Amino acid sequence: MPRLAQPIETETDRPELDRYGAATHEVFNQPFELVDFNLFSGDAALKQGVAREGAGWASAELEALGAKLGGADTLELGVLANRNAPELDTHDRYGRRIDLVRFHPAYHALMRGAIEEGLHSSPWTDPRPGAHVARAARYYMQGQVDAGHGCPVTMTFAATPCLRLQPDLAREWLPKIHARVYDPRNVPVAEKQGLTIGMAMTEKQGGSDVRANTTRAIPIGAEGPGEAYELVGHKFFVSAPMCDAFLVLAQAPGGLTCFLAPRWRPDGTKNPIQVVRLKRKMGNVSNASSETEWRGALAWRVGPEGRGVATIIEMVATTRFDCMIGSSAGMRMAAAQAIDHCRQRKAFGALLSDQPAMQNVLADLALEAEASLALTLRMARALDNRANPHEDALIRLGAPIGKYWICKRTPAHAYEAMECIGGSGAMEDSPMPRLYREAPINAIWEGSGNVQCLDVLRAIRRSPETLEAYFAEVASARGSHRALDAHVDALKDDMRDLQDFEHRARDLCDRLALGLMASAMVKGAPGANADAFCRARLESRGQHNWGALPRGLDLAAIVKRAAPR
Ligand SMILES: Cc1cc2nc3c(=O)[nH]c(=O)nc-3n(C[C@H](O)[C@H](O)[C@H](O)COP(=O)(O)OP(=O)(O)OC[C@H]3O[C@@H](n4cnc5c(N)ncnc54)[C@H](O)[C@@H]3O)c2cc1C
């Protein structure tokens, strides 16, 4: 009988085995995790963009926040909030209806941090030049830690322009909505100092087409703006169902109308908005999204009857802008992870980041992230200056164009960044799977791709000054890059005839987006980055794959600029 080898355990357990070298191997050529870095000072594009677009005054605060958010402890909150998905209890242990969603403490910590930073309110409470730019920079950094909690933060932020259309409700609700107080308790509004707001439009038979909503609104007494109604029906997607109130669309006697529905009635009884189940989502796990039934739920009318879409669109437009920030943030984190990894990892005798094929990929990922941020911050400046007709017209076209393009670029970007890291990038203890699963969500909600493109058409048809503002904006970069000039000339020709726009919508919106991004890049980014972006995205080659940047560019400099530490 051959003697069976004993399994080798550890050096300390079996000291006599040391002579075989029981310490199996040394770990080398493996990168250190990207933690304890500053999300602001380590991001040259962000720092410069903030100053360029008018929020240089916020730099010191942003730097402090960047250090906090890039700290290992804060990054771990993002991990925990996604590893421990929220859970729904429809009833308490004795069978009473409670509709309570329980979250991991890490989620609450992230929410508290975001609200205390004023991500839900700062441009409304402290309006000043650059307020939207500074808030966008904060949200951009916060979104790199976790995207999910950004959903209720965004909806709360976006509720303000909509509620302001109903001054009596605004007077009553906005002070607590704007407060920098996070109170997750499941209690009536009167008992709280800080509130969060959700949005419920989508129904089973129609999401994009909300005019197909079947939920009914029945006046309780007098009809009219600010008056009480009861809502009967369902909402198929309600994210953050623990919000204190929801802006809702329902069919009133005079057509689709906007309402504000509280989770608790003012008399302290539960408003019958019943959570049927939580969605099982591919990404955005830290955030709860639910299916709900509305069984005579109290709601107050916001705005004119039959004008629900026009009323709630104020909220939707704001959430779309946040999708631009959120997806730009995802791309920044993905590029930072890939670059940081490749600057530490060697293969075939050299650092990956120094190998030409990889350098081309990394530089391309960095350029995409930088250009997305540049466009986003430019649009934030437009939001800061809506009193200026050019800026107002620009944001009306720039938001759907940017939301469409930036969100749509993110999934492919996340996947390519993951591949830069190799096998470890596909493991669940890497941030990459989370970034990857998160990436498609922003593109789908708040108006999916085609819907954004159709909104671009609608904006141009209804308000031709939006297209004029677009071309004035890109014209301000004229002469900076021949590829951009040629791109704009061809686009202008093709936009003259809007006859079969729907058929050409994707192509035209792609080109509108690239023109706007390129103009933001040539006006703000270093020359090498702007040149690389214009040549790679506006000339014929290399638009549709990563790592196909043309020859003659200083790719090492582009990668170095984007390196997070
Ligand atoms: C994680 C998550 C959370 C969500 N949370 C909320 C929430 O809190 N509140 C809420 O109200 N909703 C929420 N939604 C719903 C979301 O807004 C809708 O899914 C979205 O609006 C699309 O609607 P739909 O799913 O009904 O798809 P559809 O409307 O059926 O659209 C399907 C596809 O058809 C395309 N399409 C639609 N119309 C046209 C057209 N005319 N021409 C060409 N193409 C067209 C769309 O672009 C889309 O790609 C959430 C969704 C997700 C994924």
Side-chain angles (χ1 to χ4, degrees):
M1 280 280 285
R3 273 185 53 202
L4 290 176
Q6 295 294 316
I8 294 175
E9 292 164 17
T10 64
E11 280 177 273
T12 43
D13 291 341
R14 305 286 306 277
E16 74 277 15
L17 292 176
D18 273 358
R19 65 182 181 280
Y20 300 133
T24 58
H25 65 287
E26 180 195 346
V27 180
F28 68 99
N29 193 31
Q30 281 290 1
F32 290 93
E33 287 182 20
L34 179 55
V35 292
D36 293 328
F37 65 115
N38 191 310
L39 295 185
F40 185 71
S41 55
D43 186 343
L46 177 62
K47 243 171 38 176
Q48 291 162 12
V50 161
R52 181 173 70 244
E53 305 298 357
W57 50 264
S59 291
E61 288 168 24
L62 292 171
E63 185 157 353
L65 182 63
K68 180 183 142 199
L69 294 176
D73 290 352
T74 312
L75 292 169
E76 182 67 6
L77 294 176
V79 174
L80 292 173
N82 286 278
R83 198 174 279 168
N84 300 280
E87 288 180 359
L88 168 67
D89 282 332
T90 52
H91 296 78
D92 71 8
R93 77 180 85 148
Y94 297 113
R96 290 187 191 86
R97 189 97 212 174
I98 51 171
D99 299 292
L100 181 70
V101 181
R102 298 177 200 276
F103 295 86
H104 189 271
Y107 171 86
H108 291 305
L110 290 167
M111 282 295 292
R112 184 164 293 109
I115 298 278
E116 287 177 0
E117 278 295 327
L119 295 188
H120 66 305
S121 65
S122 57
W124 316 132
T125 53
D126 305 306
R128 57 189 282 190
H132 276 284
V133 174
R135 184 237 168 216
R138 286 193 182 92
Y139 190 105
Y140 177 76
M141 295 192 286
Q142 184 91 17
Q144 292 178 52
V145 179
D146 165 61
H149 76 289
C151 172
V153 172
T154 285
M155 292 193 292
T156 305
F157 174 63
T160 290
C162 180
L163 280 175
R164 279 181 175 164
L165 299 175
Q166 189 59 52
D168 50 343
L169 289 176
R171 263 193 308 279
E172 187 185 336
W173 283 77
L174 287 183
K176 285 187 182 179
I177 292 174
H178 288 169
R180 294 192 181 198
V181 175
Y182 175 59
D183 184 346
R185 289 175 306 143
N186 188 21
V187 296
V189 163
E191 296 175 35
K192 291 188 166 195
Q193 295 310 312
L195 307 177
T196 53
I197 305 294
M199 176 169 63
M201 296 193 295
T202 308
E203 297 186 2
K204 291 175 185 170
Q205 71 285 348
S208 310
D209 185 7
V210 290
R211 287 177 199 280
N213 274 192
T214 59
T215 297
R216 286 169 295 136
I218 303 123
I220 295 175
E223 290 182 40
E227 295 295 343
Y229 290 62
E230 279 181 344
L231 307 188
V232 179
H234 79 283
K235 293 290 165 184
F236 195 38
F237 284 86
V238 179
S239 287
M242 297 314 289
C243 284
D244 296 289
F246 304 88
L247 281 154
V248 190
L249 289 180
Q251 302 287 357
L256 195 65
T257 304
C258 183
F259 293 90
L260 178 72
R263 195 146 50 82
W264 291 83
R265 289 189 171 122
D267 65 5
T269 59
K270 211 179 150 306
N271 207 12
I273 304 169
Q274 297 188 347
V275 181
V276 178
R277 62 171 173 171
L278 295 187
K279 299 278 193 188
R280 286 184 293 188
K281 295 181 284 181
M282 66 166 285
N284 203 252
V285 172
S286 62
N287 175 35
S289 299
S290 66
E291 295 174 15
T292 59
E293 289 177 352
W294 299 57
R295 300 173 181 272
L298 168 74
W300 298 283
R301 200 173 108 186
V302 180
E305 206 171 60
R307 300 282 300 156
V309 174
T311 306
I312 210 165
I313 203 73
E314 292 294 325
M315 180 174 193
V316 174
T318 311
T319 61
R320 287 178 177 174
F321 172 67
D322 271 15
C323 289
M324 292 171 64
I325 315 176
S327 289
S328 301
M331 282 197 263
R332 166 61 191 164
M333 186 49 114
Q337 292 286 345
I339 291 170
D340 194 63
H341 179 94
C342 293
R343 281 162 63 92
Q344 299 178 67
R345 174 86 166 169
K346 284 183 178 166
F348 303 101
L351 283 172
L352 285 172
S353 57
D354 291 340
Q355 308 215 23
M358 180 59 92
Q359 209 171 56
N360 201 323
V361 173
L362 294 175
D364 209 359
L365 295 173
L367 283 176
E368 191 70 23
E370 175 160 4
S372 301
L373 176 66
L375 174 56
T376 300
L377 292 179
R378 173 65 189 91
M379 290 305 110
R381 172 150 65 89
L383 285 173
D384 275 323
N385 294 285
R386 287 199 86 157
N388 174 326
H390 167 78
E391 298 290 300
D392 185 56
L394 184 65
I395 186 68
R396 279 190 280 148
L397 208 55
I401 289 172
K403 196 276 184 185
Y404 160 67
W405 182 254
I406 293 173
C407 298
K408 199 157 281 301
R409 294 287 286 172
T410 309
H413 186 278
Y415 152 65
E416 191 67 50
M418 177 188 287
E419 189 173 313
C420 292
I421 294 173
S424 296
M427 297 301 112
E428 287 293 353
D429 44 11
S430 157
M432 303 315 294
R434 177 148 60 95
L435 289 170
Y436 180 68
R437 285 197 302 263
E438 194 65 48
I441 307 286
N442 274 344
I444 292 176
W445 63 20
E446 310 307 338
S448 315
N450 289 348
V451 170
Q452 298 300 318
C453 295
L454 297 178
D455 275 3
V456 169
L457 174 64
R458 199 169 299 120
I460 294 171
R461 283 216 170 114
R462 276 199 195 146
S463 320
E465 71 275 14
T466 56
L467 191 60
E468 286 160 23
Y470 174 91
F471 281 117
E473 178 70 15
V474 291
S476 64
R478 184 127 200 129
S480 308
H481 201 286
R482 75 187 144 61
L484 178 55
D485 293 349
H487 177 86
V488 171
D489 290 344
L491 184 59
K492 216 177 227 172
D493 274 350
D494 285 353
M495 294 292 299
R496 272 186 230 290
D497 170 20
L498 297 180
Q499 273 294 319
D500 56 349
F501 184 100
E502 286 197 33
H503 169 75
R504 296 182 295 145
R506 288 288 185 111
D507 174 54
L508 292 174
C509 287
D510 289 0
R511 291 158 64 198
L512 284 164
L514 286 169
L516 206 51
M517 281 173 127
S519 81
M521 287 291 277
V522 298
K523 284 190 267 180
N529 291 43
D531 181 37
F533 186 85
C534 289
R535 286 174 61 193
R537 302 291 189 268
L538 305 181
E539 291 177 343
S540 58
R541 287 173 45 199
Q543 286 184 30
H544 302 296
N545 206 353
W546 303 102
L549 297 177
R551 286 169 155 168
L553 298 166
D554 188 354
L555 301 187
I558 294 171
V559 174
K560 189 168 173 219
R561 170 178 163 80
R565 57 179 172 187

